[in-house]
Amino acid sequence: MSLAVQIRQHGGPEELHVADVEVGQPGPGQIRIRHHAVGLNFIDVYHRTGLYPLQMPAGIGMEGAGVVEAVGEGVTHLRVGDRAAYAANPPGSYCEVRVMPAQNVCRLPDGIDFETGAAMMLKGLTAQYLLKKTLPVEGLVPGDFVLFHAAAGGVGLIACQWAKALGLQLIGTAGSDAKCRLALDNGAAHAINYATEDFAARVKEITGGKGVKVVYDSVGKDTWEKSLDCLRPFGLMASFGNASGPVPPFAPGSLGAKGSLYVTRQTLFTHISSREATQAMADDLFEVVESGAVKIHIDQRYRLADVQQAHRDLEARKTTGCTILTLP
Ligand SMILES: NC(=O)c1ccc[n+]([C@@H]2O[C@H](COP(=O)([O-])OP(=O)(O)OC[C@H]3O[C@@H](n4cnc5c(N)ncnc54)[C@H](OP(=O)(O)O)[C@@H]3O)[C@@H](O)[C@H]2O)c1
């Protein structure tokens, strides 16, 4: 048996219920993992509200770290007793023990503790594919400017540090002066409080009127239009989230008028669709974390029983960096 958070219908944080559920044996391609910590992500909010619909009843959560307890047929990269961490489908990581597909579960290096592992996999692999693989046609070279929205959040603080390690000048936006300071402390070259400042005008000022080569935008509805105005000709608008709501439909013709821009909508799950790709990206992430180039900031910890409050705080923009659920 395991304590597990479930929803029976889409809705507010009050729909998150902790229940006692039965856990079986892993089938082919699966493992059973006992979590030591679980990561919280904004996608969990989309799953809960139904922006990304789930079949009911549903588990929630896509990130965790713990010890492998049992291994199903055909799984060769993990053994019983291995320390492991993952970002993976299907949702259901808010629990003590679960059976799940092994494909995206990686052995956790000894130098990385369980809480860090649980906090960093989904957010860190996202920062990895954005900065390393989601590039403008002209590429990115040290010294280039990029704009990264919500820079003091979970993905954001990792991206600030990783971009600096790559020699990029990351301009971060955030919703308060305190969050802007945090982004600067973590390697952002510039920070803009988009609650009080016109971020497009500031980006133009910072870049000497040229604009940036890429905008990484997870805020969605509220930042979409102005973000296009921050780009250089042939620049890339990389949309990867909807914290303020989904991006509304737009006319492709406007991309021509604004400088022959490119637009992409990325999701981590395309990037980690094979075991080999998952491991290669995870190895890159483990390296920057173990070297100290990227520090994982766990700024909030909630008990599994307090999961409703964790969701309230995340949605109310009260969190910074990473958030984890701790287990009894
Ligand atoms: N596509 C992918 O592969 C992928 C993978 C991981 C994450 N994501 C996306 O990346 C974003 C960051 O994820 P995360 O888990 O690290 O979350 P997070 O950044 O820690 O939290 C979301 C942040 O978005 C900002 N925000 C702006 N408008 C908001 C609004 N109306 N309501 C709530 N928040 C708002 C807030 O920061 P400020 O107060 O500073 O504005 C808030 O702290 C999310 O949009 C998530 O869906 C996408």
Side-chain angles (χ1 to χ4, degrees):
M1 300 296 286
S2 167
L3 288 179
V5 175
Q6 291 191 324
I7 56 168
R8 290 169 210 130
Q9 58 181 13
H10 291 301
E14 69 283 357
E15 298 299 340
L16 298 162
H17 301 284
V18 181
D20 228 352
V21 300
E22 220 165 297
V23 184
Q25 294 300 321
Q30 296 182 322
I31 58 151
R32 192 171 72 230
I33 185 166
R34 181 167 294 273
H35 290 139
H36 283 232
V38 168
L40 203 79
N41 290 280
F42 217 86
I43 194 171
D44 308 344
V45 172
Y46 308 145
H47 283 144
R48 196 204 70 226
T49 60
L51 180 65
Y52 299 171
L54 298 176
Q55 279 209 319
M56 297 296 140
I60 294 276
M62 315 197 78
E63 195 179 39
V67 174
V68 177
E69 271 193 352
V71 173
E73 199 188 311
V75 177
T76 55
H77 68 286
L78 292 168
R79 297 205 181 119
V80 171
D82 277 350
R83 302 169 73 256
Y86 66 87
N89 262 316
S93 70
Y94 290 8
C95 67
E96 295 169 306
V97 190
R98 73 182 294 200
V99 168
M100 65 179 294
Q103 174 178 288
N104 296 131
V105 183
C106 298
R107 286 175 62 186
L108 191 60
D110 290 342
I112 302 179
D113 62 58
F114 287 120
E115 292 200 343
T116 303
M120 76 181 200
M121 291 300 282
L122 199 148
K123 301 162 201 81
L125 294 177
T126 300
Q128 199 275 353
Y129 86 71
L130 289 173
L131 295 172
K132 297 280 190 84
K133 300 197 212 168
T134 310
L135 304 176
V137 279
E138 295 172 335
L140 284 177
V141 294
D144 277 345
F145 285 106
V146 303
L147 177 63
F148 206 105
H149 290 305
V155 178
L157 283 189
I158 296 174
C160 286
Q161 298 172 75
W162 208 329
K164 184 172 184 192
L166 293 170
L168 301 172
Q169 301 200 64
L170 182 146
I171 305 171
T173 61
S176 72
D177 290 344
K179 286 185 177 184
C180 284
R181 267 195 305 280
L182 193 57
L184 291 170
D185 288 346
N186 281 277
H190 301 269
I192 306 170
N193 179 345
Y194 53 14
T196 57
E197 296 177 86
D198 177 341
F199 72 80
R202 286 279 292 120
V203 165
K204 282 286 158 72
E205 214 174 278
I206 291 165
T207 59
K210 289 188 175 149
V212 296
K213 278 186 167 177
V214 195
V215 178
Y216 295 108
D217 188 346
S218 64
V219 173
K221 181 170 72 62
D222 289 355
T223 45
W224 173 261
E225 198 60 46
K226 266 196 185 171
S227 292
L228 296 175
D229 295 330
C230 296
L231 285 162
R232 280 167 45 151
F234 307 111
L236 175 65
M237 176 69 184
S239 170
F240 71 104
N242 350 256
S244 67
V247 173
F250 67 96
S254 66
L255 303 176
K258 288 178 192 285
S260 303
L261 304 179
Y262 291 79
V263 170
T264 183
R265 176 59 164 89
Q266 292 284 309
T267 175
L268 172 64
F269 296 97
T270 319
H271 291 271
I272 57 171
S273 60
S274 74
R275 162 104 280 281
E276 295 69 28
T278 306
Q279 193 61 52
M281 289 170 65
D283 287 345
D284 199 14
L285 173 62
F286 294 151
E287 193 183 312
V288 289
V289 171
E290 287 196 293
S291 74
V294 171
K295 295 194 170 54
I296 303 300
H297 295 271
I298 302 175
D299 291 345
Q300 298 76 216
R301 288 177 171 79
Y302 299 85
R303 295 178 309 142
L304 189 71
D306 295 327
V307 64
Q308 294 188 356
Q309 191 57 46
H311 270 230
R312 280 192 197 98
D313 291 349
L314 185 61
E315 274 182 289
R317 307 163 80 157
K318 287 185 181 164
T319 64
T320 55
C322 298
T323 302
I324 59 163
L325 298 174
T326 58
L327 296 162

